[in-house]
Amino acid sequence: MTPELVIVGRAGIGVDNIDIDAATDHGVVVANAPKGNVRAAAEHTVAMTFATARSIPQAHDRLKAGEWAKGDYLGTELDGKTLGVVGLGRVGQEVAKKLDSLGMELLAYDPYISEERADRLNAELVALEDCLAKADVLTVHVPLTDETAGLIADDELALLDGGYLINCARGGVVDEAALAAAVEDGTLAGAAIDVFAEEPLPADSPLLAVEDIVVTPHLGASTRAAQENV
């Protein structure tokens, strides 16, 4: 760390890619922009939810390749289904609002949010296990910390039986190998992932070998408005 360094600014929410301890030891201020890309991240989460529930990328690829695979895809409507939100912070709240308007029932797991706040969002606060067991679609909106690393792995994915998992928050929260296996063996109907434990995503990632997993290269904040805001 150079002696001239005074501040590290993060153009986004998470600071897990900054060595906070080293910054503290050297008296360097670490600042982020927690509100600038909230809307963009929430909208990408909704887009990824539709993409996996309706197999949009897969159908697109086959049609571009000359196949009319109309009979091969039977999608899932979101209206009347249950949304589980893991992490009811800024982005999680925006996602809850948007998907609530589509007629989804809302459950949320967040040990730091009050029931009153959840009630205002029309969401029921539940334990993580209940959130997983009752959700048809689970979206993840937590930072990567010691507490959340590997939060959703084999046992948790088994509870989400038949559902979809969407992660546009941080890589490392969901066990990628376990997720790939759960979708491949039919435990989950599908998944959509925008963030990864290692970025860029390695070519040998198990996520890339499963057709029903939609992946994007960390595009959650990639809108003109979001970049200007942060």
Side-chain angles (χ1 to χ4, degrees):
M1 196 170 286
T2 63
E4 295 84 7
L5 186 62
V6 175
I7 184 169
V8 175
R10 167 75 170 89
I13 299 174
V15 293
D16 52 281
N17 53 355
I18 300 172
D19 191 332
I20 302 296
D21 291 336
T24 300
D25 291 343
H26 290 81
V28 174
V29 175
V30 175
N32 64 351
K35 298 180 180 179
N37 60 15
V38 167
R39 184 170 55 248
E43 289 185 2
H44 194 65
T45 301
V46 173
M48 293 285 269
T49 301
F50 277 113
T52 186
R54 299 302 297 268
S55 302
I56 293 172
Q58 297 92 328
H60 167 86
D61 286 345
R62 290 182 67 179
L63 187 55
K64 294 278 280 189
E67 295 183 66
W68 186 259
K70 178 177 173 64
D72 291 351
Y73 298 104
L74 190 64
T76 297
E77 293 185 18
L78 300 182
D79 183 34
K81 300 299 190 298
T82 299
L83 173 70
V85 181
V86 176
L88 205 56
R90 291 182 177 91
V91 178
Q93 290 177 24
E94 281 299 311
V95 170
K97 292 175 186 175
K98 295 178 189 306
L99 292 179
D100 178 53
S101 70
L102 295 177
M104 299 194 78
E105 299 292 327
L106 303 184
L107 299 176
Y109 166 72
D110 192 323
Y112 304 106
I113 291 289
S114 68
E115 289 190 9
E116 290 76 15
R117 180 59 182 163
D119 287 343
R120 288 199 293 272
L121 294 163
N122 200 29
E124 178 187 356
L125 278 182
V126 295
L128 178 60
E129 292 77 11
D130 290 334
C131 192
L132 286 155
K134 296 177 181 179
D136 298 297
V137 176
L138 189 84
T139 64
V140 178
H141 307 285
V142 296
L144 180 62
T145 65
D146 291 340
E147 183 181 6
T148 63
L151 180 68
I152 299 176
D154 292 282
D155 291 344
E156 291 74 23
L157 292 168
L159 293 173
L160 189 61
D161 188 22
Y164 298 90
L165 185 141
I166 320 297
N167 185 13
C168 297
R170 275 291 179 267
V173 176
V174 178
D175 184 316
E176 294 173 5
L179 176 62
V183 178
E184 180 69 24
D185 68 17
T187 300
L188 268 62
I193 309 296
D194 184 50
V195 291
F196 309 95
E198 182 181 347
E199 297 183 359
L201 184 64
D204 62 352
S205 167
L207 298 174
L208 298 176
V210 183
E211 182 181 2
D212 290 326
I213 297 180
V214 178
V215 291
T216 51
H218 207 144
L219 297 180
S222 295
T223 68
R224 289 188 180 89
Q227 293 304 300
E228 290 171 2
N229 290 339
V230 297

